[in-house]
């Protein structure tokens, strides 16, 4: 893409009301636009990042047999009343202008809806197990909407739901999800700790969170420095500097961001919504469920929190909006256009800084702010060597690369 065509622009100054790195850099870089506290528009660059994250998640969900669907955002009151979740604090109620009372909630989690859908298709044990997921906007009236994308009133979530004939079968799938989640976070450039946690409004049993260590995180975990066993402070009996229950290693207290959460739901929802199946022996049993969430927008914000320096973002290559930032100096536009075209032909994702009237300094500053993995600079000097200067965003050094071998290197 040519930068001159991009309708968003970068800003020199950080927004005054933001303190977290993700809010500052994503707004300054024109990745997102803040419409309201906790409510964001994803601009072209930010939406490309979201697309990359979504694609990684889709691949890993499909690998474990998850089937992608798309559910309504308007959730009927009667389903939420059936499970006692109509009156939760985070719900936004929706009332049509002509109605006296709210009939819907804006979907903040979809256990009820998917259970209702599943009851149309589940009759016998032969219909089990299966799992379905969606990637959709969730709405929660968060009193503490803050820290950029980390806590929104409106945010992107992947929610997977699984249906089983027994607790054992559900727990097998649960560990497959755990493995898939580890791959997702790793592929997105994040180290996430599998953490024992409370169930909140979802389930009475304990659950497991995926926590990324970061000083801006709202959670506190105790994590073993040796075996990486982790517990959320909310439920933990561990202490900083105490010894790990599993291996005897030293436990450390850390601030962290919850990027994912998995819940062994059991029969809480299927009992409330009467979802049963007929077993091999002809008995009627309640279906056993699990639900599994990842916050895509929070994950994007977390990636920025973990990967940045004082100049801007340092995107992991897998989720960067483009791979290459191409700068042309000394008006070498003809050669620049050629290289841009050549890279496009080879399928390399390039953001081409073709802006006239910007100084070299401004272009370099924007390159650092955008944080694309590779910066290429073409100038009279590099052309004398039939070369282009290459610098990786996560390294200080530059190198000259022959124009003839540039595709090979990328
Ligand atoms: P938290 O404890 O942070 O409020 P939660 O436990 O209520 O989150 P879940 O219902 O488990 O969240 O949602 C699944 C995932 O969605 C979370 O792991 C997180 O990554 C993301 N998420 C939850 N709430 C928000 C929010 N307000 N803004 C952005 N992402 C969120
Ligand atoms: Mg949670």
């Amino acid at each position: 893409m040519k930068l001159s065509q991009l309708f968003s622009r970068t800003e020199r100054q950080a927004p005054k009301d933001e303190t977290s790195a993700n809010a500052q850099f994503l707004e300054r870089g024109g990745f997102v636009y803040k419409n309201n506290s906790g409510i964001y528009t994803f601009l072209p660059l930010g939406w490309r990042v979201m697309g990359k994250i979504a694609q990684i998640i889709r691949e890993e969900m499909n690998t474990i047999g998850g089937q992608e669907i798309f559910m309504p955002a308007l959730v009927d009151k009667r389903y939420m009343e059936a499970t006692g979740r109509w009156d939760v604090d985070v719900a936004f109620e929706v009332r049509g202008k002509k109605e006296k009372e709210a009939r819907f909630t804006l979907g903040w989690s979809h256990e009820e809806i998917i259970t209702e859908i599943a009851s149309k298709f589940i009759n016998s044990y032969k219909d089990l197990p299966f799992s379905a997921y969606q990637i959709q906007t969730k709405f929660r009236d968060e009193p503490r909407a803050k820290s950029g994308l980390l806590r929104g009133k409106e945010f992107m979530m992947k929610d997977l739901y699984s249906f089983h004939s027994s607790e054992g079968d559900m727990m097998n799938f649960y560990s497959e999800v755990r493995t898939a989640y580890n791959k997702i976070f790793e592929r997105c450039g994040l180290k996430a700790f599998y953490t024992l946690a409370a169930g909140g409004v979802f389930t009475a049993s304990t659950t497991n969170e995926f926590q990324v260590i970061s000083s801006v995180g709202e959670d506190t975990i105790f994590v073993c420095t040796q075996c990486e066993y982790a517990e959320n402070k909310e439920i933990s009996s561990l202490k900083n500097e105490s010894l790990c229950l599993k291996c005897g290693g030293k436990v450390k207290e850390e601030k962290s961001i919850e990027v994912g959460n998995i819940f062994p739901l059991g029969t809480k929802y299927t009992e409330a919504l009467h979802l049963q199946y007929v077993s091999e022996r002809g008995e009627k049993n309640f279906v056993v469920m699990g639900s599994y969430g990842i916050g895509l927008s929070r994950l994007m914000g977390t990636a920025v929190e973990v990967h940045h320096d004082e100049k801007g973002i340092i995107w992991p290559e897998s989720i960067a909006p483009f791979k290459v930032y191409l700068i042309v100096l000394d008006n070498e536009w003809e050669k620049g256009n050629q290289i841009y075209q050549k890279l496009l032909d080879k399928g390399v994702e390039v953001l081409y800084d073709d802006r006239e009237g910007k100084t070299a300094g401004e272009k370099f500053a924007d390159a650092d702010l955008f944080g694309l993995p590779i910066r290429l600079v073409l100038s009279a000097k590099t052309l004398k060597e039939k070369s282009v200067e290459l610098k990786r965003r996560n390294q200080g050094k530059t190198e000259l690369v022959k124009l003839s071998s540039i595709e090979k290197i990328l």
Side-chain angles (χ1 to χ4, degrees):
M1 176 171 204
K2 290 183 175 171
L3 193 49
S4 64
Q5 309 286 305
L6 191 69
F7 75 83
S8 63
R9 277 193 207 96
T10 57
E11 278 173 40
R12 281 290 170 83
Q13 298 299 324
K16 285 200 184 63
D17 52 338
E18 299 288 1
T19 50
S20 64
N22 86 89
Q24 293 193 354
F25 290 135
L26 290 171
E27 280 186 57
R28 275 187 57 206
F31 290 85
V32 301
Y33 176 83
K34 184 174 176 176
N35 297 83
N36 248 308
S37 165
I39 302 178
Y40 287 88
T41 296
F42 291 85
L43 295 170
L45 291 177
W47 192 242
R48 283 181 75 98
V49 176
M50 187 79 89
K52 299 256 164 113
I53 296 170
Q55 186 53 30
I56 290 172
I57 292 178
R58 279 198 179 95
E59 286 169 17
E60 299 301 338
M61 290 297 99
N62 296 347
T63 299
I64 57 170
Q67 301 174 47
E68 187 167 9
I69 60 173
F70 193 75
M71 290 186 269
L74 290 175
V75 177
D76 197 303
K77 182 175 186 174
R78 71 196 151 101
Y79 301 130
M80 303 310 280
E81 277 181 339
T83 59
R85 299 209 300 175
W86 173 254
D87 281 323
V88 298
D89 282 347
V90 293
F92 281 107
E93 292 182 0
V94 183
R95 176 177 66 84
K97 265 284 182 204
K98 299 183 288 299
E99 289 160 351
K100 285 216 178 63
E101 275 187 8
R103 239 191 332 133
F104 298 99
T105 185
L106 281 179
W108 56 270
S109 196
H110 279 71
E111 281 79 5
E112 288 83 354
I113 291 284
I114 188 86
T115 305
E116 157 75 9
I117 298 165
S119 51
K120 182 175 156 89
F121 302 106
I122 296 174
N123 293 309
S124 91
Y125 68 95
K126 290 180 190 151
D127 302 321
L128 296 167
F130 73 90
S131 63
Y133 71 97
Q134 65 171 351
I135 295 174
Q136 190 203 37
T137 305
K138 291 280 188 283
F139 302 87
R140 295 186 186 178
D141 191 11
E142 297 278 5
R144 297 169 296 153
K146 61 164 194 181
S147 306
L149 298 185
L150 299 186
R151 185 171 292 286
K153 287 185 160 47
E154 208 185 295
F155 60 96
M156 197 65 91
M157 195 202 284
K158 184 283 302 173
D159 39 333
L160 169 76
Y161 305 89
S162 69
F163 298 85
H164 309 268
S165 56
S166 70
E167 194 76 21
D169 192 55
M170 189 264 288
M171 288 316 289
N172 284 341
F173 186 71
Y174 197 81
S175 54
E176 284 183 40
V177 176
R178 174 183 178 173
T179 308
Y181 271 35
N182 282 334
K183 284 191 197 147
I184 289 166
F185 298 125
E186 206 171 288
R187 287 181 65 184
C188 291
L190 295 174
K191 167 131 188 83
F193 290 91
Y194 186 70
T195 306
L196 192 69
V201 293
F202 292 91
T203 170
S205 71
T206 56
T207 68
N208 294 99
E209 296 169 340
F210 292 78
Q211 297 275 2
V212 173
I213 291 174
S214 163
S215 58
V216 301
E218 288 180 28
D219 284 28
T220 305
I221 60 169
F222 294 109
V223 54
C224 173
T225 49
Q226 203 166 295
C227 73
E228 303 193 344
Y229 175 75
E231 291 185 356
N232 194 310
K233 191 174 187 174
E234 280 172 6
I235 60 149
S236 185
S237 53
L238 297 171
K239 285 196 190 70
N240 195 24
E241 308 280 307
S242 67
L243 296 184
C244 173
L245 306 171
K246 306 276 167 187
C247 77
K250 193 184 271 173
V251 168
K252 262 194 93 184
E253 180 172 338
E254 301 278 6
K255 286 270 167 233
S256 62
I257 304 169
E258 177 202 314
V259 286
N261 203 176
I262 60 182
F263 303 83
L265 296 175
T267 54
K268 171 174 170 174
Y269 295 88
T270 54
E271 282 185 42
L273 294 157
H274 314 294
L275 173 53
Q276 290 183 308
Y277 72 97
V278 179
S279 76
E280 251 174 307
R281 278 191 258 137
E283 296 161 347
K284 278 197 155 186
N285 294 328
F286 286 108
V287 172
V288 179
M289 279 177 74
S291 83
Y292 319 83
I294 293 180
L296 282 78
S297 43
R298 184 182 285 182
L299 196 162
M300 188 191 302
T302 304
V304 177
E305 292 298 333
V306 174
H307 302 289
H308 72 269
D309 60 17
E310 68 294 345
K311 293 175 182 161
I313 303 168
I314 307 173
W315 289 113
E317 188 168 325
S318 55
I319 61 171
F322 294 89
K323 182 169 181 182
V324 173
Y325 191 83
L326 175 61
I327 294 178
V328 170
L329 301 178
D330 310 320
N331 285 317
E332 297 287 356
W333 294 116
E334 205 184 306
K335 208 69 197 158
N337 294 343
Q338 275 174 22
I339 290 182
Y340 174 56
Q341 195 53 51
K342 185 163 141 186
L343 293 177
L344 284 186
D345 291 345
K346 295 281 171 198
V348 180
E349 294 179 313
V350 196
L351 187 58
Y352 179 21
D353 192 344
D354 63 336
R355 297 172 301 177
E356 294 190 42
K358 288 271 176 198
T359 64
E362 287 169 317
K363 294 188 174 193
F364 287 123
D366 281 346
D368 284 338
L369 179 57
F370 287 141
L372 306 184
I374 291 173
R375 187 188 78 189
L376 293 180
V377 180
L378 197 75
S379 66
K381 207 171 93 198
T382 68
L383 278 172
K384 239 185 237 150
E385 311 279 328
K386 293 197 168 54
S387 296
V388 61
E389 181 201 89
L390 182 149
K391 182 181 168 298
R392 291 180 199 280
R393 181 64 180 85
N394 61 4
Q395 291 175 6
K397 66 177 197 299
T398 61
E399 55 182 307
L400 276 185
V401 176
K402 290 282 179 226
L403 287 172
S404 53
S405 61
I406 189 74
E407 316 100 84
K408 260 181 253 140
I409 284 179
L410 301 174

